[in-house]
Structure formats: structure tokens, C-alpha cells
Amino acid sequence: MDIVVKGRKTEVPERFRKHVAEKLKLEKIQKLDGKVISLDVEVSKEPNPRQADRCDRVEITLRSRGPVIRAEAAASDPYAALDLAAEKLEARLRRQHDKRYSRRGARRIPAAEVADHVPGVATLNGNGLVPAPDEGPEAVPTKKIGSLEVQGDGPIVVREKTHVAAPMTLDQALYEMELVGHDFYLFVDSETKEPSVVYRRHAYDYGVIHLSTDTMVTQAHSPDAGGALGG
């Protein structure tokens, strides 16, 4: 496998190509992902003088039999941008490698041992059910986490985030998902104007979920639903 280095609206000097070969060690990459097919490095330059500290951008794309991994960085010169992008690529490769390793080594925990492995997990009574509040030795405190009410110190962690998103096509959403290195990406479909989620199933196989408003369901959940039936 060779490293392909190309420039977008800029020339790539031979010195930089040698630096790429020294920075991206193929032996190290293949240890983390032994199914690498190709490794592309694209260099581009931003002519805007207001962005002098981020004028040079380097994007590394690694294709293998698994998901495509991309790492991108910008700096005041291409060498610094390459170093930053290479660090991101290695971090994502290690994350993928550790995920595969943990899945292989994972084992199923019997139900009787769950409480020993998961701190704060709910215990079951003699009937195999979660005990009612009056079955416990003392009242369980209730607290507010995000928009949920949680009893006790359960392992629920809720974080709420709001993002401003411009509508985009499905192809653009796939590209953005690969760019950030996530397994899913939430976006607003530019054709339907509805929220959608694209997600990775396996290898180059993806899935997409679209949400649409059902007026019948909305009416059924309305507080006034059924009022017209009253005598």
C-alpha cells in the first residue's frame, strides 16, 4: 500500500511528500488496522489573509474493509497541519482498535452477577422484579437530571445539547459523519425539512432514519383529545 499525496489548488513540494512518508508510518498504521486499502493525503491552501493562522489544511483519508476514517487539521503551515491531522488519525485508529478488541474479549454477565459488576444497578426482589418503594429499607430520594426524574443514584447520565444545523443532503450528512469519526449523525434533510439520522451498520453499509409528524398521533396525545365524545 502506498500513500497518495495530492494538492488542491496548490502544488505539493517533494520535501513535503517525504515528510508525509516519515510522519505516517505504514507499519504502525497496519498494526492498528490490518485491513487498510488506501491512505490519501490532500493539501489545500486558504488564500484569505484573515485566516493566516489556519491557511494550510491537511485532510487524511484512510480506507479499509471497515469504516472510512478521516482526520483533518489546519495551521499556519502544511507541516504543522499534517502533524495535527496525523495525531487525530492515530487517536481514531486506536479507538477503533480498542473497540474491536473489547468486543472480542467481552463476555455475558449472568443476571445474578450484574449487581457485582455494575455499581448503582437496581436490585430485584424474590419474584425477579424491581421492588416497590415500600419494599426497600428506606425511602429512595428522587432528583432531577436534565428533563428526567431519577430515583436514587442510578447510572443514568443525561446531557442536553442544542445545535444549530443548516439543512443538508444525505450525501453531505454521510461525509460529515465520517469527518467527525462518529457512528451516527443527526441532520435536517434538505428535501423533506425533517430531522433525520444517518448511522453506520457495518463496513460501507449505512442506514438512515427519517422523522415525520403524524397528525393522528399528535391529536391522540393532545390533552383535549376525546373531548368531543363527552355527553
Side-chain angles (χ1 to χ4, degrees), residues 61-186:
T61 303
L62 185 148
R63 293 181 174 84
S64 67
R65 297 180 186 177
V68 177
I69 299 178
R70 285 191 177 93
E72 184 179 9
S76 57
D77 64 82
Y79 296 91
L82 174 65
D83 293 346
L84 293 174
E87 291 178 3
K88 292 181 180 180
L89 179 70
E90 182 177 350
R92 291 174 183 173
L93 278 172
R94 289 190 180 279
R95 187 162 61 245
Q96 286 290 111
H97 178 269
D98 295 343
K99 186 185 297 184
R100 288 194 299 267
Y101 180 81
S102 62
R103 285 177 179 174
R104 291 173 188 162
R107 68 177 184 89
R108 292 182 180 274
I109 301 175
E113 300 179 11
V114 171
D116 298 331
H117 292 80
V118 183
V121 70
T123 56
L124 305 180
N125 59 17
N127 298 322
L129 302 174
V130 178
D134 55 357
E135 294 183 34
E138 57 183 359
V140 180
T142 301
K143 60 183 177 181
K144 192 83 170 180
I145 301 180
S147 58
L148 300 178
E149 287 187 357
V150 180
Q151 288 187 337
D153 297 325
I156 297 179
V157 177
V158 177
R159 291 190 299 175
E160 296 183 347
K161 290 185 178 181
T162 301
H163 295 276
V164 178
M168 64 179 64
T169 63
L170 177 59
D171 289 341
Q172 180 65 21
L174 284 170
Y175 175 78
E176 294 290 340
M177 181 183 72
E178 297 295 354
L179 193 62
V180 298
H182 291 172
D183 291 331
F184 71 95
Y185 192 81
L186 176 65

Side-chain angles (χ1 to χ4, degrees), residues 8 31 35 59 62 78-79 96 115 120 165 173 179 190 192 209 223:
R8 185 173 61 184
K31 283 183 179 180
K35 300 179 180 180
E59 180 179 321
L62 185 148
Y79 296 91
Q96 286 290 111
L179 193 62
S190 58
T192 63
I209 300 174

Side-chain angles (χ1 to χ4, degrees), residues 8 10 44-52 54-57:
R8 185 173 61 184
T10 185
S44 59
K45 193 172 186 67
E46 173 59 52
N48 189 347
R50 295 182 180 180
Q51 298 183 0
R54 297 172 57 85
C55 61
D56 289 284
R57 182 174 297 274

